[in-house]
Amino acid sequence: EVVMTQSPLSLSVTLGQPASISCRSSQGLVYSDGNMYLIWLHQRPGQSPRRLIYRVFNRDSGVPDRFSGSGSGTDFTLRISRVEAEDVGVYYCMQGTHWPPTFGQGTKVEIK
Amino acid sequence: QVQLQESGPGLVEASETLSLTCTASGHSISSGYYWGWIRQPPGMGLEWIGSIYQNGVVQYHPSLRGRATISVDRSKDQLSLNLYSVTGADTAVYYCAGPGASYFDFWGQGILVTVSS
């Protein structure tokens, strides 16, 4: 199965400062239809995950534009341009290109 | 906006069957393109259990070795998960998610299932 490796595993960020999370896949994520099925999820403490980004860089409805996704091949990044208090929690990447779908270990974001 | 709700027993005896259902508001389960079940052991990360496509194709995580069944009850418009012969390793919060083609656009609130020995 495809291994998704996130870094860092924890991040302490000052409010208003940027943050960046990397996700590296053990295989390229281009599917036969030309799409890359890489999503980013955010899980606040005690809550269920919420999808933020799909197919690498598409923001879900209602997701603030301070979140952006990028990447290609095997290297992907989630960026938060200015961290706000509500952004704390754990962020996961997940690939759906190869069976079985696999998740990264998660990156815990806290406010410094 | 799609809202999903998992339901089922919160406690299951070891070696028994874990049975959960997922209902949706704002979208029909039967017309969803791709639904999945994902679980999260306490304090740990996310693990995909399996998924069902609109055409009825079902896929399961290979580690489950045939212990899982996922189906859609069209008469009740519900998604279900049965996990057989459970052990303590199956203790987790179980989520249903879907329904779009780009994976897990909406998630339920989750249900904690504890396996007792």
Side-chain angles (χ1 to χ4, degrees):
Chain A
E1 69 183 42
V2 174
V3 177
M4 305 297 287
T5 303
Q6 291 182 227
S7 63
L9 297 184
S10 66
L11 198 51
S12 185
V13 188
T14 301
L15 286 173
Q17 292 301 301
S20 179
I21 300 170
S22 170
C23 176
R24 185 163 292 178
S25 58
S26 60
Q27 296 179 37
L29 296 186
V30 179
Y31 190 59
S32 55
D33 63 3
N35 290 309
M36 288 183 285
Y37 290 96
L38 184 287
I39 69 172
W40 287 97
L41 302 160
H42 176 212
Q43 186 175 34
R44 293 190 177 109
Q47 295 188 15
S48 58
R50 173 198 182 193
R51 195 179 74 178
L52 301 175
I53 302 285
Y54 63 97
R55 278 188 269 127
V56 180
F57 54 79
N58 297 278
R59 237 183 347 263
D60 274 283
S61 176
V63 174
D65 60 8
R66 65 179 181 274
F67 290 93
S68 63
S70 64
S72 63
T74 61
D75 290 312
F76 304 91
T77 302
L78 176 71
R79 289 186 176 86
I80 310 173
S81 58
R82 294 172 306 279
V83 170
E84 298 190 4
E86 66 181 15
D87 300 337
V88 299
V90 181
Y91 292 81
Y92 296 93
C93 60
M94 191 215 87
Q95 68 82 24
T97 295
H98 301 284
W99 181 87
T102 47
F103 294 89
Q105 321 96 299
T107 295
K108 185 174 183 179
V109 173
E110 63 176 21
I111 303 300
K112 197 178 291 183
Chain B
Q1 184 81 351
V2 179
Q3 293 186 315
L4 304 175
Q5 178 76 58
E6 303 87 351
S7 60
L11 187 64
V12 180
E13 295 281 335
S15 80
E16 298 295 313
T17 298
L18 180 161
S19 295
L20 299 176
T21 60
C22 174
T23 57
S25 59
H27 199 288
S28 166
I29 293 281
S30 302
S31 63
Y33 179 80
Y34 182 81
W35 298 101
W37 286 97
I38 301 98
R39 67 182 180 181
Q40 185 171 36
M44 297 182 66
L46 300 166
E47 179 186 35
W48 176 78
I49 297 170
S51 292
I52 184 167
Y53 288 85
Q54 187 177 38
N55 63 5
V57 171
V58 187
Q59 296 176 327
Y60 302 101
H61 198 289
S63 68
L64 294 174
R65 297 188 179 90
R67 291 196 299 126
T69 300
I70 292 172
S71 62
V72 169
D73 184 333
R74 294 182 183 279
S75 65
K76 297 180 180 179
D77 202 35
Q78 287 180 338
L79 176 71
S80 68
L81 167 69
N82 288 310
L83 187 62
Y84 311 102
S85 303
V86 297
T87 70
D90 296 311
T91 292
V93 176
Y94 286 76
Y95 299 101
C96 60
S102 293
Y103 291 87
F104 308 146
D105 27 357
F106 297 97
W107 292 63
Q109 66 183 35
I111 181 169
L112 173 63
V113 180
T114 302
V115 177
S116 65
S117 54

